Amino acid sequence: MPPGEAGLITALQGWIRRQPRSDSATYWQVEAHLRLAEELQADTTRRQECLTEYRWVLEHTTPRDSQKARANAGLARLTQERGFHFPGTIRRAVWGALTEDMHEMDPASSMWNWITVHHSAMEVSSKVHGSQAVGHQAVRSIQASHMNARGYGDVGYHFLVDPAGRVYEGRSLKWQGAHARGKNNVGNIGICLLGNFENAPPTRQAQNALHRLVESLRSGFAIGATHVVGHGHWTSTKCPGRHLDAALARYR
Ligand SMILES: [Zn+2]
């Protein structure tokens, strides 16, 4: 059958629907979602459905490496975020992200031309410095508050950075962020440092990781240094705190 064949798509969807619900998918279930995504990809009017299938594969813990690689490759083709990957980024599936709600997000339609830095304003336990699990938990709780309390489709930031300098994959660059209020989010990449920097500066590791990430984004998307700003550039707020604001002055 040629790719995008409607009969095959319907058959795969039917088979998937008949599978028992379970947290751990079998090899063949993953394979069915992957084949479905690959068939849907041939039809440009079904990109959203295709995206959903690839996401499903990546957010299940059971896919084999070769299956994950196919999903990542398909997603890269689909989302134009091809080419941007920050080495060592902790993937959503690893920190335990909830599945995003695509109906509550806007596609990233314009070029990326701003980078806005925030703080989480939470006092972060010193355990985050050492324990990866505590960092994962902190990122999960921010995502949960954005989705459950604020009704966002996903965590509002594209990247998060913890005090140990770990960088977490937030909202995909496929989508506009939700961090700078309304239209300010268009073309605006959001980065959140975990912690409250009103009274103390971020750790050296967090500042170094932020700088590497910002420089990588700037060169990947040709963003000018003067377009790296704190949340206060857009609206009256203490975010990202006096100390982090002072650190951002290096870009002006
Ligand atoms: Zn902010």
Side-chain angles (χ1 to χ4, degrees):
M1 266 190 252
E5 167 62 44
L8 180 52
I9 289 172
T10 307
L12 285 164
Q13 286 172 328
W15 187 84
I16 287 167
R17 258 197 311 276
R18 289 192 299 275
Q19 298 304 299
R21 278 181 180 273
S22 151
D23 286 335
S24 59
T26 66
Y27 171 83
W28 287 110
Q29 283 175 300
V30 174
E31 198 60 24
H33 283 271
L34 260 183
R35 278 307 305 277
L36 177 55
E38 288 162 356
E39 293 300 317
L40 288 166
Q41 190 144 16
D43 183 343
T44 53
T45 67
R46 306 186 77 172
R47 294 172 66 88
Q48 293 299 315
E49 289 167 78
C50 176
L51 185 63
T52 306
E53 297 304 326
Y54 281 133
R55 292 282 184 208
W56 187 95
V57 171
L58 291 174
E59 287 173 0
H60 278 69
T61 52
T62 45
R64 296 186 183 180
D65 286 347
S66 62
Q67 292 177 318
K68 278 198 174 172
R70 274 163 68 195
N72 274 320
L75 211 50
R77 283 197 302 279
L78 196 67
T79 61
Q80 301 157 5
E81 61 182 279
R82 171 180 28 195
F84 189 79
H85 174 67
F86 188 67
T89 303
I90 297 174
R91 294 278 191 183
R92 298 170 63 90
V94 173
W95 59 260
L98 301 168
T99 302
E100 74 275 45
D101 178 354
M102 292 182 290
H103 303 293
E104 296 294 337
M105 296 191 286
D106 295 316
S109 52
S110 81
M111 296 285 288
W112 295 114
N113 49 27
W114 289 93
I115 297 171
T116 300
V117 178
H118 304 259
H119 69 169
S120 65
M122 298 182 308
E123 299 301 340
V124 179
S125 158
S126 60
K127 287 182 187 161
V128 177
H129 294 248
S131 162
Q132 190 140 325
V134 177
H136 292 181
Q137 173 56 43
V139 175
R140 281 200 301 272
S141 87
I142 291 171
Q143 187 199 27
S145 82
H146 284 188
M147 293 181 73
N148 300 336
R150 300 193 196 175
Y152 295 175
D154 195 352
V155 61
Y157 314 111
H158 296 101
F159 298 93
L160 301 96
V161 179
D162 80 11
R166 300 185 193 98
V167 175
Y168 299 82
E169 178 184 40
R171 181 180 296 215
S172 163
L173 289 171
K174 164 83 178 159
W175 306 103
Q176 190 178 297
H179 57 93
R181 190 181 285 199
K183 288 268 179 260
N184 296 334
N185 287 303
V186 177
N188 191 345
I189 298 170
I191 303 174
C192 178
L193 263 66
L194 302 190
N196 188 327
F197 308 114
E198 189 58 19
N199 298 318
T203 62
R204 173 71 45 204
Q205 296 98 307
Q207 292 198 45
N208 288 344
L210 174 65
H211 186 59
R212 285 197 306 273
L213 174 61
V214 164
E215 288 309 299
S216 179
L217 288 164
R218 289 206 324 106
S219 71
F221 298 108
I223 299 170
T226 55
H227 279 207
V228 180
V229 298
H231 191 175
H233 176 85
W234 304 103
T235 185
S236 176
T237 172
K238 282 187 169 178
C239 178
R242 288 185 301 127
H243 291 272
L244 182 47
D245 253 333
L248 292 174
R250 71 192 292 174
Y251 296 107
R252 292 192 282 277

